[in-house]
Amino acid sequence: MDSGVLLPTGAAQWVPGDDPRDLVGFARAAEQAGFASLWVNDSLISPRIEALTMLAALAPATERVALGTAALLPFLRRPVQAAQSLASIDLLSGGRLVVTVGAGFPGRFGRPFYDLSEVPWERRFLRLDETVALWRALWDGASSFHGKLLSLDDLPPATRPFRKGGPPIWLGGFTPGAFARAGRLYDGWLPYPPDPADYAAGLRAVLDAAGGRPVTPALFVTVRVDRDVATGRRVLDDYARASYGMPLSDLERIQAVVTGTAAEVRMALDRYAAAGARHVVLRLGGLDLRDQREQLERVAGAL
């Protein structure tokens, strides 16, 4: 199972005196430590470095790691402009971009952001799928696109990505609808279910929908290596409250969270590998950039 790291681009993971420009050095350290990929998330929950801006900064600063979004929210951007930005990052990185997309969530983490973007909440999954189809059409040189929601004529010549057909596009989400769409339309699947058995069942549904088409099975998980589980959980509770405004006990009901000693963390991740995960995106449970850097070293030692 390949391992990647989510960069702490959100201000909730910074303290006074932290310099967000150090994120580039953090990324280089992760690459040197042997991680296979670097990821950024995309949200309006709290102030953060914008996702595609961060990836553009990492493209010339790194050499071999994949650069990914976990996950990008396309409804925050105009579709044609987003296709241009993604193609540009793929070019600048020499074909190392991986784009995970999502449609957002109900409640305060989703629908209000659609209102800010002046995009209808209704039919959001169809809009997401059509946006991705439009990107792929642009990258293949299409001059028009006609879907149920998106219809465009006289498209200008688009920037072509480094790779023919563009970067692989993965889907986040853990519902029966997401399983079917990931299998039929996407190149990978990146959910975060708390139970490895649920992951295994979801993956079976994705692969059934794929009908033999290759789909990368990935996993998003929050991790903290500490001296014991109790200590790690105390820190992760502070992390959950700072990042989501909820206690750890609520967060771990909807997202995969792992903590404990290096051996305990490795055992927990191995259970997901046994369930079929082949690429894990690790969100480090650190409360500031110094703690994040320490966690980077600890987690690298655990893998």
Side-chain angles (χ1 to χ4, degrees), residues 136-148:
R136 288 170 168 160
L138 284 166
W139 295 334
D140 280 339
S143 59
S144 64
F145 178 87
H146 297 286
K148 294 180 179 179

Side-chain angles (χ1 to χ4, degrees), residues 24 27-28 49 51-62 67 89 92:
V24 174
R28 289 190 182 119
I49 303 298
L52 301 186
T53 303
M54 188 75 248
L55 293 184
L58 296 181
T62 57
L67 303 176
I89 293 169
L92 292 171

Side-chain angles (χ1 to χ4, degrees), residues 157-176:
T159 299
R160 298 294 184 93
F162 184 87
R163 287 163 291 183
K164 180 177 176 56
I169 303 181
W170 299 0
L171 182 68
F174 197 79
T175 64

